[in-house]
Amino acid sequence: MRQIPSALLATTALAATLAVPALIPAAPRSAGTARHGDSRPATSPPPDAGERTEAPGARPTETKTGSKTGSKTGTTAHETASAPPPHSRTAPKRSPRAPSAALPSGPCALPGAFPGTITGVSEAATTPRGFTRATGRVRALTVLVDFPDVRAGISPRTRYGEFFPAVPRFFRQSSYGRLDYRSTPVLKWIRMSRPLASYDIGRGTSFNPASKNGYYAVAKEIVSAVDREVDFRAYDLVNVLVTPNAGPPATKNVWSVTFSGGPLGLRTGDGTQLRNVSFIWSRQTGPSAYRVLNHENAHSFGLPDLYFTDGRADPHPVGHWDPMDVDWGPENDFLGWHKWKLGWLAPDQVDCVRSPGSVTTHRLTPAAAPGGTKIAVIPVSRYRAYVVEARRTGPLDPTACRPGVLVYRVSTDTPSGRGPVRVADATPKSAGCYRKDPNVRAGLTDATYRPGQTFRAEGITLSVLDTGPSDTFRVRITTPERP
């Protein structure tokens, strides 16, 4: 991270509630159903007959023998990334963080509201222990389940193919190659022992070891079904792909959920505590429906939900600028702040603007291009900052129809689902420039600032001076004098 040297930006007068011109206002919500997956803390053609297995009962009596996925080659599992690697006869080794990556540090790396405690997913620069690292090689175990009354009507390979290799490709591109995501599937339908309704699962269901129902009961049967062939010690996270005909359609209600941040109270046969588990239900709509898994896995990396979960009519303060707000419809890349938090930006790709009364200029390269300065961070209090980045149309940003500078406020003291990030709209009265897909909040697609436009808030003035080759943008940032 590059720091613009000088004393700390004064926070006495700025620590009050932020009043941000042109930021998305909170609007009352009409009746409706949220269309997003949840993040929850850890404490809370017909398939072939040979591809299906019945989950054992609550007290399996069979001796656990046989090879384990991840330790020896089997017939039902292989590892996939951008291209399937050869089978390995040894347990996959955890790779260190990519050497080119760096976790956030310095005065612009905002702390969480409760330093030193496990606070769950948040926008804090430091992610607490218990979550999955997002750099180097990350290994996911992917299993598929159905129910005796809701049997899968497709092969496990078809369901798996709805997400892979698209998910690893997305993470590889968005991280500039710093996240090597590998998935090992158990390619068979694991039949649950009871009808779907008996598990009492819905939106908001917990993972409660004291309950005979809910996600704990489902996970316990999954572990029992695959424990003989899977070495859970080899994996960083677990994906559970439920047959898409189970539960309500995603257009009506989304059950997809992730339990992350610590042990879930379920120990596997090899002594591993189950943790960081994502359950994917139904199917999203749009051309990139696989991204619900990117969204859910990002919770295991520590990212919060950016959309509002309090029932308002307009729940999207960020829109299609990040999949933690909208993971429906066309693809969308992560915000630069999230890439920094995940360790995908090198220190010299972050400008920290913290000098009172300073005037600095910055040349920002768009998120779609590797290299160059990616974000400028202007802290205004202990837990809040404005972030500036360049965005343009690219493979992961097809809806970025107005190349320019995106400005948003990050609040590490605002919880997940309460709007921890707010995008400033440079054209608040516009209908937007991307109106091809109903899943895209069109009004925010032209939120970027163009040369000649200026953003002002809390004494900060940000002017876009000009654009250069490959849609780089030069900005001038003026910070307020010390009060």
Side-chain angles (χ1 to χ4, degrees), residues 33-48:
T33 302
R35 303 193 310 170
H36 298 271
D38 283 333
S39 169
R40 301 196 180 281
T43 53
S44 38
D48 298 333

Side-chain angles (χ1 to χ4, degrees), residues 79-85 160 164-166 168-169 172 180-183:
E79 184 182 67
T80 57
S82 55
Y160 184 76
F164 298 95
R169 173 193 57 79
R172 184 182 68 253
D180 179 15
Y181 184 109
R182 302 291 181 104
S183 170

Side-chain angles (χ1 to χ4, degrees), residues 75-359:
T75 59
T76 60
H78 62 277
E79 184 182 67
T80 57
S82 55
H87 289 299
S88 172
R89 291 188 177 274
T90 59
K93 295 180 180 179
R94 296 178 183 272
S95 299
R97 297 183 186 277
S100 57
L103 295 179
S105 62
C108 282
L110 303 184
F114 305 100
T117 63
I118 298 294
T119 57
V121 293
S122 78
E123 291 298 342
T126 300
T127 299
R129 291 184 178 181
F131 292 90
T132 301
R133 58 186 168 78
T135 57
R137 180 163 296 179
V138 172
R139 294 187 182 273
L141 173 70
T142 303
V143 299
L144 302 97
V145 304
D146 69 357
F147 299 85
D149 60 327
V150 189
R151 302 190 178 198
I154 58 176
S155 72
R157 189 175 297 276
T158 297
R159 178 61 164 164
Y160 184 76
E162 294 177 12
F163 302 93
F164 298 95
V167 167
R169 173 193 57 79
F170 175 92
F171 280 130
R172 184 182 68 253
Q173 292 180 344
S174 184
S175 70
Y176 314 110
R178 289 175 176 136
L179 172 55
D180 179 15
Y181 184 109
R182 302 291 181 104
S183 170
T184 299
V186 178
L187 286 177
K188 57 185 177 183
W189 288 110
I190 301 172
R191 178 73 51 76
M192 295 290 99
S193 65
R194 295 186 271 147
L196 171 60
S198 71
Y199 292 91
D200 197 24
I201 289 177
R203 187 169 177 84
T205 300
S206 67
F207 196 107
N208 183 5
S211 173
K212 295 181 180 180
N213 300 319
Y215 282 105
Y216 178 84
V218 173
K220 185 176 181 180
E221 291 192 31
I222 292 172
V223 170
S224 296
V226 302
D227 218 359
R228 289 174 298 170
E229 59 189 288
V230 171
D231 185 352
F232 284 90
R233 295 170 297 180
Y235 300 101
D236 303 291
L237 54 87
V238 178
N239 300 318
V240 180
L241 307 182
V242 183
T243 179
N245 53 324
T251 53
K252 300 295 184 181
N253 196 354
V254 174
W255 286 2
S256 295
V257 64
T258 294
F259 298 93
S260 59
L264 294 172
L266 178 58
R267 192 176 295 275
T268 67
D270 47 40
T272 302
Q273 274 280 358
L274 198 67
R275 64 177 70 213
N276 294 316
V277 182
S278 296
F279 292 84
I280 305 300
W281 297 81
S282 187
R283 287 191 179 105
Q284 304 284 64
T285 62
S288 302
Y290 72 88
R291 289 180 309 113
V292 63
L293 187 53
N294 294 111
H295 173 105
E296 295 301 336
N297 281 173
H299 286 316
S300 288
F301 299 149
L303 297 188
D305 285 315
L306 300 187
Y307 61 90
F308 285 99
T309 58
D310 57 3
R312 63 188 66 199
D314 186 3
H316 302 297
V318 175
H320 229 72
W321 296 107
D322 193 283
M324 302 315 291
D325 187 340
V326 180
D327 58 9
W328 291 63
E331 301 214 61
N332 51 352
D333 204 357
F334 283 108
L335 292 169
W337 176 266
H338 283 166
K339 295 190 180 196
W340 189 33
K341 174 179 169 67
L342 295 175
W344 299 348
L345 300 183
D348 62 357
Q349 293 184 289
V350 179
D351 283 353
C352 180
V353 185
R354 52 190 290 264
S355 306
S358 67
V359 179

